Amino acid sequence: MTSANYVIIAYAVGLGLLAFCAAKLWIDLRAAGRKTRGRGGVS
Amino acid sequence: MSTAGTNIFVRIYWAATVAMFALALAVLFTYTPTESTMGPIQKIFYLHLPIAISTFIACMVSFIASIGYLSTRKTEWDELAAASAWVAVQLCSVVLITGMLWARGAWGLWWTWSPRLTFSLVLWLLYVVYLMIRMSIESTERRAIVGAVYGLIAFLDVPLVYLSVRLMPDMHPTSVELAWPMKLTLMAWFVPVFMLAGGLIAAKTVLNRRQGEPSPSVAGFPAFPARGAL
């Protein structure tokens, strides 16, 4: 494998993992927000 | 600020972060020159270093928040400490992965037990254990106290990671002389990575507060039976 391939894999995996974390957090936040509203809390 | 105003600010913040990442990628692949000694593999550096620095900052935020909790016993500090430790684990994972890919391309091996690499792996393990300890304790107050004390101890590895390469013989580069276009690229990467790290810490803190108990999962992995510690 060439050096350029390692660079592409590093950026794809690194940024992909962080994007996954951010997306998961966003989904959890939306779910937590719905639960809060369902309890009659913060709207 | 009203909820609607906050939502707009959050959307703009994340849109700006994504735009800055796109810009940094464009700079990397169209403008940045190839380093003469290492060749194209050196380009991993522009992601690896900002994320490593962000890991240290996340650990430091967790450390400061742990001190804050122990001195005031306010749950806000505990929520921040847990959120920062969670982000530190994610960032440190990326540091280790990108570092291994760089090592394979530059040195021909995936891993070597050099001081910096070893202390970095220990740092990742320390904060993974921090998250696991929190998940294993049901009592909110007890979890916060144990987490804060452990957070103080775990942070002691950060200076070891930083100083190891300077105080001990190591394959890992210490400081690299960069040409101006390379410095510009590095700055272009520091901005979105810091924005991402700050945004993740803030979002995770809000999530911890909304849930009133630990997050049900760590980065998408199934929760432990005893929920609630993150």
Side-chain angles (χ1 to χ4, degrees):
Chain A
M1 195 153 55
T2 66
S3 293
N5 288 340
Y6 284 114
V7 174
I8 291 166
I9 292 170
Y11 277 87
V13 173
L15 295 180
L17 183 63
L18 293 174
F20 174 76
C21 291
K24 178 72 173 60
L25 208 47
W26 183 66
I27 291 165
D28 286 347
L29 269 170
R30 282 174 67 91
R34 274 197 298 272
K35 274 183 195 168
T36 308
R37 281 194 294 273
R39 288 199 300 262
V42 179
S43 60
Chain B
M1 197 185 292
S2 67
T3 307
T6 307
N7 283 343
I8 290 169
F9 172 77
V10 168
R11 281 166 198 267
I12 290 172
Y13 182 88
W14 285 109
T17 305
V18 171
M20 291 304 295
F21 267 115
L23 179 68
L25 277 170
V27 168
L28 179 76
F29 288 113
T30 61
Y31 170 73
T32 312
T34 303
E35 208 262 343
S36 55
T37 313
M38 279 190 264
I41 196 74
Q42 185 267 347
K43 289 195 172 182
I44 294 179
F45 170 77
Y46 303 109
L47 178 65
H48 184 75
L49 180 69
I51 293 191
I53 302 290
S54 302
T55 306
F56 292 162
I57 292 172
C59 293
M60 186 175 285
V61 171
S62 183
F63 175 75
I64 292 167
S66 297
I67 293 173
Y69 178 77
L70 289 174
S71 54
T72 65
R73 299 297 164 107
K74 287 185 177 172
T75 51
E76 287 84 357
W77 286 115
D78 180 55
E79 290 159 357
L80 178 61
S84 304
W86 182 84
V87 172
V89 169
Q90 318 306 327
L91 294 172
C92 197
S93 302
V94 176
V95 172
L96 291 173
I97 292 167
T98 55
M100 285 169 71
L101 285 161
W102 191 359
R104 176 66 182 167
W107 304 333
L109 41 88
W110 290 103
W111 184 264
T112 178
W113 294 102
S114 80
R116 173 159 277 188
L117 273 65
T118 306
F119 282 126
S120 299
L121 180 63
V122 168
L123 183 71
W124 182 80
L125 286 170
L126 281 168
Y127 280 91
V128 167
V129 170
Y130 173 93
L131 298 179
M132 292 173 74
I133 285 174
R134 290 183 65 92
M135 282 190 285
S136 67
I137 301 173
E138 288 283 355
S139 160
T140 309
E141 190 182 355
R142 186 172 153 77
R143 180 171 64 225
I145 293 170
V146 171
V149 172
Y150 184 90
L152 296 181
I153 297 165
F155 181 75
L156 295 177
D157 190 52
V158 171
L160 290 177
V161 176
Y162 181 76
L163 293 172
S164 59
V165 79
R166 288 165 175 77
L167 301 178
M168 289 181 251
D170 200 318
M171 289 172 77
H172 194 284
T174 45
S175 59
V176 184
E177 277 298 314
L178 295 175
W180 175 243
M182 294 176 174
K183 284 181 184 169
L184 199 65
T185 308
L186 190 58
M187 283 188 271
W189 274 95
F190 263 113
V191 174
V193 168
F194 279 176
M195 287 174 76
L196 177 71
L200 287 178
I201 291 173
K204 185 68 177 167
T205 306
V206 171
L207 179 64
N208 288 350
R209 190 163 305 165
R210 278 189 189 173
Q211 290 179 329
E213 60 176 24
S215 169
S217 64
V218 177
F221 295 104
F224 277 50
R227 289 181 53 174
L230 300 179

